[in-house]
Amino acid sequence: MAMGIAFLNLFLLLLIFLSVSGNTDSPYHHHHHHHSLVQVKAALLAFKKSVLVDWEDDVHVCNFTRVLCNQQHHRVIQIDLSSSGLVAKMSPFLSNLTALQRLNLYDNQFFGIIPPEFSSLGHLQVLILNDNNFTGPLSPSIFSNCSQLLVIDLSLNYIRGHIPMEIGNCPSLWALNLYNNEFTGQLPAPLTNTTMQNIEAPA
Ligand SMILES: *[C@@H]1O[C@H](CO)[C@@H](O)[C@H](O)[C@H]1NC(C)=O
Ligand SMILES: *[C@@H]1O[C@H](CO)[C@@H](O)[C@H](O)[C@H]1NC(C)=O
Ligand SMILES: *[C@@H]1O[C@H](CO)[C@@H](O)[C@H](O)[C@H]1NC(C)=O
Ligand SMILES: *[C@@H]1O[C@H](CO)[C@@H](O)[C@H](O)[C@H]1NC(C)=O
Ligand SMILES: *[C@@H]1O[C@H](CO)[C@@H](O)[C@H](O)[C@H]1NC(C)=O
């Protein structure tokens, strides 16, 4: 039974991920784009120092493997480094990719805390960090800028402490996976007021 729910949950997550993947970006101010893409590339190269991916300085950032830009090629909107065998302390550099909509680091060995700087990812829709070695506590600031957030999967990590109340402030949150961590306490009451249909809470 529990297994069935887990599978259904994974299936729903996949459905969401696929349906969200087809999305296009929202409009941005064009005059910023060159400057910001240079900064984004610097941030990705800084992040790369801690992981082993084949991103090279002489390649356009939109041609980095596992990086997806918007159609106009001036914003990085997706990074998918799932199942890449990466072993690294999570660096805060990805927080500079402020247009990022989907981050998938599923099935690696990222460790350390989820950086509070991720609060600057105000366009984030899908945050998939399950099956890594993240530790706690979970920073409330991550949920201070979550108006677009649809899916969070933090399952199968070593995150400890309380689940922040602020998680209830994410108005669009649809799926939340927290199982197999070291959380203590209750699921925060405000979660009952979200539109969420798919909660996989800690046991
Ligand atoms: C990116 O973010 C980090 C930490 O938030 C900051 O120290 C750094 O200067 C920023 N810029 C780049 C290009 O990485
Ligand atoms: C990305 O690579 C393709 C194929 O090598 C090339 O045609 C294209 O111009 C590159 N894009 C950018 C933005 O550099
Ligand atoms: C929220 O996200 C937006 C867009 O990325 C950013 O400009 C803003 O600084 C973020 N706010 C906080 C509190 O991090
Ligand atoms: C991550 O956790 C796994 C399973 O507990 C462990 O074997 C591995 O050594 C850990 N890796 C790091 C980098 O902490
Ligand atoms: C849920 O929303 C209702 C109506 O807005 C409010 O009265 C109630 O206090 C909220 N409950 C929680 C747990 O936030």
Side-chain angles (χ1 to χ4, degrees):
M1 184 60 175
M3 199 64 150
I5 291 171
F7 272 118
L8 178 63
N9 201 36
L10 185 63
F11 180 66
L12 289 173
L13 274 173
L14 280 172
L15 274 185
I16 295 169
F17 194 70
L18 291 173
S19 64
V20 168
S21 294
N23 237 9
T24 49
D25 50 291
S26 43
Y28 296 108
H29 301 291
H30 284 226
H31 57 279
H32 289 310
H33 67 78
H34 196 69
H35 179 63
S36 73
L37 200 56
V38 168
Q39 280 185 331
V40 157
K41 186 169 183 177
L44 278 181
L45 290 173
F47 172 73
K48 191 195 97 162
K49 288 200 173 80
S50 66
V51 298
L52 280 172
V53 292
D54 55 351
W55 295 338
E56 297 300 336
D57 194 29
D58 58 355
V59 173
H60 190 279
V61 63
C62 296
N63 268 348
F64 282 5
T65 54
R66 293 165 167 263
V67 169
L68 185 71
C69 284
N70 61 353
Q71 280 171 346
Q72 295 80 13
H73 280 197
H74 53 67
R75 296 282 178 177
V76 170
I77 58 168
Q78 177 175 301
I79 297 177
D80 181 350
L81 294 172
S82 57
S83 305
S84 298
L86 303 177
V87 181
K89 183 161 192 236
M90 190 64 206
S91 88
F93 290 110
L94 290 181
S95 63
N96 300 35
L97 280 70
T98 51
L100 200 62
Q101 296 174 4
R102 299 176 292 276
L103 178 61
N104 184 353
L105 303 179
Y106 160 71
D107 182 26
N108 286 287
Q109 289 181 47
F110 282 100
F111 59 92
I113 62 164
I114 299 169
E117 290 88 350
F118 275 20
S119 64
S120 53
L121 301 177
H123 295 279
L124 203 59
Q125 297 173 358
V126 177
L127 181 62
I128 307 275
L129 302 179
N130 56 314
D131 213 343
N132 275 283
N133 291 39
F134 285 105
T135 48
L138 196 52
S139 165
S141 70
I142 299 168
F143 305 108
S144 66
N145 211 0
C146 60
S147 63
Q148 309 290 310
L149 203 56
L150 301 171
V151 176
I152 315 174
D153 195 336
L154 304 179
S155 58
L156 291 157
N157 279 288
Y158 301 94
I159 304 171
R160 25 178 101 241
H162 289 274
I163 301 166
M165 287 266 277
E166 287 78 358
I167 208 166
N169 297 343
C170 308
S172 312
L173 196 57
W174 196 93
L176 174 63
N177 258 327
L178 301 175
Y179 72 91
N180 272 39
N181 276 286
E182 296 172 10
F183 287 115
T184 48
Q186 304 286 314
L187 206 57
L191 279 183
T192 57
N193 267 0
T194 67
T195 56
M196 216 173 324
Q197 300 168 42
N198 188 31
I199 303 181
E200 193 77 34

